[in-house]
Amino acid sequence: MAAFVARDATRPGWWIAGAVLVLAAWWGQPLIAPDHFERAFFGLFWYTMLALAAVFWALPSERRFTGSDFVRRTMLLGVLPVYTRSEPVSAYRQVVLETDPNVVGPDTLWVLVEGDGGRRFAFMHRRATRRGRERQLGLAKALAEASGLPFAGEVLDAG
């Protein structure tokens, strides 16, 4: 049985966001040694917002299908598990590929596992380029086959 794993920390966007945070911290250095109180306030605000962003950045998620469970783990820097939530396959009824329209750039494709009562497990998302659509469709079909759940096809999100 092949295990399916989707890690945010292995995606280029996660690394680029970390580099942007470092550059933003370096750029804000003049704000922490000001001559005026107003600049000190902006420096405090700037670094508080960067600290908050760094906390969110440092806790990427990982989604897995283990053969009997869907598992979501929050990982410290993508390495150390901090929080784990596991749900059995029996809690879900189908695998679906959902398109989420974007205002700028290609739409986003989500591989979702849906259950009764609106229960959903978002397994992975990608931009809806030709290559991204092919990869997401392949992942959705493979996940459906491995889990024994039916593949419901592609849905355009109305929201």
Side-chain angles (χ1 to χ4, degrees):
M1 154 92 35
F4 293 90
V5 180
R7 291 185 178 101
D8 290 342
T10 59
R11 299 176 76 142
W14 187 77
W15 292 98
I16 291 169
V20 167
L21 285 172
V22 169
L23 287 172
W26 176 79
W27 182 83
Q29 286 178 355
L31 298 174
I32 58 176
D35 298 333
H36 305 292
F37 174 74
E38 294 83 12
R39 286 184 64 196
F41 172 77
F42 290 124
L44 177 64
F45 177 76
W46 181 257
Y47 281 101
T48 301
M49 293 298 106
L50 283 179
L52 181 63
V55 167
F56 283 108
W57 175 83
L59 295 169
S61 71
E62 172 184 277
R63 281 97 39 220
R64 294 177 171 261
F65 172 67
T66 63
S68 60
D69 294 317
F70 291 104
V71 180
R72 179 178 312 281
R73 299 190 317 174
T74 301
M75 310 284 283
L76 179 62
L77 297 176
V79 178
L80 183 67
V82 176
Y83 175 76
T84 302
R85 190 180 90 202
S86 178
E87 297 184 25
V89 173
S90 60
Y92 298 98
R93 60 179 165 75
Q94 67 183 1
V95 176
V96 67
L97 184 62
E98 185 173 283
T99 303
D100 189 18
N102 289 333
V103 176
V104 177
D107 295 342
T108 302
L109 289 172
W110 293 86
V111 174
L112 302 168
V113 184
E114 293 183 336
D116 294 326
R119 169 183 246 153
R120 300 171 101 185
F121 184 90
F123 194 80
M124 185 164 197
H125 65 89
R126 268 194 214 313
R127 301 295 272 188
T129 60
R130 185 181 325 171
R131 182 173 174 226
R133 184 172 297 281
E134 291 171 1
R135 291 176 74 185
Q136 289 295 78
L137 185 58
L139 174 64
K141 288 179 178 178
L143 190 60
E145 183 179 325
S147 66
L149 298 171
F151 176 56
E154 188 172 347
V155 179
L156 178 62
D157 186 21

